[in-house]
Amino acid sequence: VYYYTTTTMVPIILLLATTALSSGFVPSSRSYVHRCPNTNIQNDASLVTSTALSATSRRNFLTTTSTIATATATILSTTTTPAYAKEAPPPITRELVTSTFDAIRLDLTSPDGVYSTLTNLINDGKFEDVMQYTKESDAYFRRGKIGKARKLLTDKDLKGEAIQMSNAVTFDLIGINRASRPGKENKEEQLRYLGVLKTDVERILELEATIQVVDE
């Protein structure tokens, strides 16, 4: 008989969470490198993982993630590992807020951004590249940039709404991914989801005006 302590169970729970969230995208055999707009910085796609919902439905996705999150929280709350003081987060200044949301805005307006890149790949009929790029964008853009912006929100009610907005971006990317899969290629659907993606990101950008900063 094997007994698992709370310390050994945490990696198991996190592994289950990763498995449940990774089935929404179908990647291609290619690797795509994200280029940050207006910089020379590149993020190696091989180091990027994605967070996606189950291909069945949004309801199954939310149910699965909710169950896993509850189980993880329960285990973590009973662990006997000594607690260490967390570092205080950086103060929310106007400069921090502006730079964080500008990074998202650039991906809508820059020729190297997510929106322009997807538009070009779709118009060129590069379905395999679209599949890979949407998978990477969920981590690089949605989880990375939008996730950082969500952490700056000061309105508690808006924090919950922002999570739904962020999830909507994932749904949009998966919609584009599905319309690019072999045997299901559909340019009209790709462009439709791309338009919704732009609208959803613009809604997220509107949250910038609600943030209260320390120097104002």
Side-chain angles (χ1 to χ4, degrees), residues 69 81 184:
T81 303
K184 298 182 179 179

Side-chain angles (χ1 to χ4, degrees):
V1 178
Y2 295 92
Y3 297 93
Y4 293 93
T5 65
T6 55
T7 302
T8 59
M9 282 298 294
V10 171
I12 297 175
I13 292 296
L14 295 179
L15 176 61
L16 291 175
T18 302
T19 302
L21 298 178
S22 62
S23 58
F25 290 98
V26 173
S28 71
S29 59
R30 303 181 183 181
S31 178
Y32 211 100
V33 177
H34 267 285
R35 185 180 299 277
C36 299
N38 297 338
T39 71
N40 294 320
I41 301 174
Q42 290 185 336
N43 295 320
D44 190 341
S46 64
L47 300 180
V48 179
T49 58
S50 70
T51 301
L53 63 149
S54 171
T56 54
S57 68
R58 295 189 180 192
R59 178 176 298 177
N60 288 342
F61 166 75
L62 295 174
T63 300
T64 302
T65 53
S66 176
T67 301
I68 292 174
T70 301
T72 303
T74 300
I75 290 177
L76 291 177
S77 66
T78 60
T79 183
T80 58
T81 303
Y84 296 94
K86 295 182 179 180
E87 293 185 7
I92 301 177
T93 62
R94 178 55 59 194
E95 291 77 10
L96 175 61
V97 172
T98 299
S99 62
T100 301
F101 279 84
D102 278 351
I104 298 174
R105 194 172 289 108
L106 276 174
D107 267 302
L108 282 188
T109 60
S110 170
D112 296 326
V114 169
Y115 182 78
S116 292
T117 300
L118 279 174
T119 300
N120 293 333
L121 291 176
I122 291 173
N123 287 333
D124 291 342
K126 297 181 178 179
F127 293 101
E128 189 174 354
D129 286 341
V130 171
M131 290 170 59
Q132 183 64 27
Y133 192 79
T134 51
K135 180 177 182 293
E136 296 169 10
S137 295
D138 189 61
Y140 157 81
F141 180 59
R142 195 276 304 174
R143 188 172 61 182
K145 293 188 175 184
I146 295 177
K148 183 179 179 181
R150 285 198 297 108
K151 294 178 181 179
L152 299 180
L153 296 178
T154 54
D155 187 312
K156 292 183 179 180
D157 293 333
L158 285 180
K159 285 185 177 182
E161 294 182 22
I163 293 176
Q164 297 178 7
M165 294 179 186
S166 178
N167 288 342
V169 172
T170 293
F171 303 147
D172 301 335
L173 291 169
I174 288 180
I176 298 172
N177 185 282
R178 287 176 175 172
S180 308
R181 298 175 187 178
K184 298 182 179 179
E185 296 93 339
N186 189 321
K187 181 178 180 180
E188 183 178 343
E189 278 293 283
Q190 288 177 317
L191 293 175
R192 183 175 73 84
Y193 277 108
L194 183 62
V196 177
L197 172 66
K198 182 179 181 181
T199 300
D200 287 337
V201 174
E202 288 173 343
R203 290 182 59 208
I204 292 173
L205 290 174
E206 293 175 358
L207 298 175
E208 179 180 5
T210 71
I211 298 176
Q212 296 181 353
V213 296
V214 296
D215 53 355
E216 291 183 0

